[in-house]
Amino acid sequence: MDSAPQSLERRPVYEQVADALREAILSGELPPGSALPPERELSERFGVGRTTVREALRALQTKGLAVAAGPTSPLRVVAPDALTTDPLRDTLVHLLRLGRVPLDDLIGLRIALEGSGAEHAAIRTPRPDLTAARDQIAFMRAAGTDLEAFEIADVRFHLEIVRASGNQALTIMMLAVRDTVSRTLLSHLQALTHPQPVIAQLIAEHEAILQAVIDGDGDAARRLSAEHLRGCEDLRNRYTE
């Protein structure tokens, strides 16, 4: 960061300090994982007291842009994965539970994200490493009737397929919505009277998606992904007494 004194506007000073640090983070001047300058240095740089600096740093933490490993650890710039699994995730969960985002819209978002991810993973050159996606299917089988373990592997499978696309924007969006997806799937599984047939069907669908990606068939990968997501609701209704 430039150490030259910076002029501040007529509004809460801590907000201006926080905004300056936020811009340094988002611009890459302070890269992910890097330690933020100490309070004394920031106080001198902006010409403000340490109390103001602490308020600015708290604001960055509230926004999820800075994290600390412990009470005495230095604040560091958050990594993209952590950022998208905290504030943005919570916002999506809250909007869904408040009824601002209907479930059908969430399913539509998943279809768009995951369908595109599966298609691009299938046609990507060089070929992506699909080991992690294969492992998640194995974990689904090993989970048996442990619905929470199955759900974790299911969500990770979809994330790994999107990762395999090589599209960082798609991956970041999937990271943001994955916990909302997770909660929805788990609630559906827990509502089933007999979950075993549904679990077997879901595993078969995952295997078909993965095989389409392995075969390099982008159209089939997108189609199977969409059919799988649309069918989740139908499966729940079919096996619930």
Side-chain angles (χ1 to χ4, degrees):
M1 293 179 65
D2 185 1
S3 60
Q6 300 183 31
S7 60
L8 301 175
E9 303 170 6
R10 290 182 176 276
R11 60 189 179 96
V13 177
Y14 83 90
E15 290 185 2
Q16 298 175 62
V17 175
D19 285 350
L21 292 172
R22 174 179 175 273
E23 180 57 31
I25 291 171
L26 297 180
S27 69
E29 187 179 347
L30 288 172
S34 65
L36 292 177
E39 287 183 8
R40 177 181 55 78
E41 181 180 333
L42 291 175
S43 178
E44 293 174 356
R45 180 173 303 170
F46 292 103
V48 298
R50 290 198 178 189
T51 300
T52 298
V53 169
R54 292 189 192 106
E55 289 178 349
L57 294 176
R58 279 196 293 269
L60 289 180
Q61 288 180 282
T62 300
K63 293 177 180 179
L65 290 172
V67 294
T72 60
S73 301
L75 282 177
R76 294 187 177 275
V77 177
V78 71
D81 283 13
L83 177 60
T84 52
T85 56
D86 286 321
L88 184 52
R89 173 205 63 189
D90 291 344
T91 297
L92 288 170
V93 170
H94 295 161
L95 287 172
L96 179 64
R97 296 188 66 182
L98 288 169
R100 302 294 192 275
V101 179
L103 183 58
D104 286 347
D105 288 357
L106 179 61
I107 293 173
L109 175 60
R110 290 187 58 191
I111 289 172
L113 292 174
E114 297 178 32
S116 179
E119 179 181 15
H120 283 83
I123 63 177
R124 182 182 174 190
T125 302
R127 302 298 297 144
D129 182 358
L130 297 168
T131 302
R134 289 192 185 94
D135 288 346
Q136 298 311 317
I137 292 179
F139 294 152
M140 290 180 214
R141 291 192 178 281
T145 57
D146 184 339
L147 299 182
E148 292 190 3
F150 176 87
E151 166 265 325
I152 290 171
D154 183 297
V155 173
R156 286 178 178 169
F157 169 83
H158 289 280
L159 178 57
E160 293 302 335
I161 291 293
V162 173
R163 280 190 197 277
S165 73
N167 186 313
Q168 294 186 22
L170 284 177
T171 301
I172 287 173
M173 287 303 299
M174 267 300 293
L175 285 166
V177 304
R178 68 177 176 179
D179 281 8
T180 308
V181 171
S182 169
R183 295 182 186 209
T184 302
L185 173 64
L186 183 59
S187 66
H188 285 184
L189 291 175
Q190 292 173 334
L192 297 173
T193 305
H194 304 293
Q196 292 84 355
V198 176
I199 288 175
Q201 176 68 21
L202 291 174
I203 290 174
E205 291 175 4
H206 290 133
E207 289 177 327
I209 294 169
L210 179 59
Q211 190 60 52
V213 174
I214 292 171
D215 293 342
D217 191 338
D219 290 340
R222 178 185 282 274
R223 174 177 54 79
L224 290 169
S225 179
E227 290 175 355
H228 165 70
L229 293 170
R230 291 193 186 101
C232 287
E233 287 293 296
D234 293 338
L235 285 171
R236 182 177 72 88
N237 295 332
R238 186 183 311 167
Y239 291 104
T240 302
E241 296 179 352

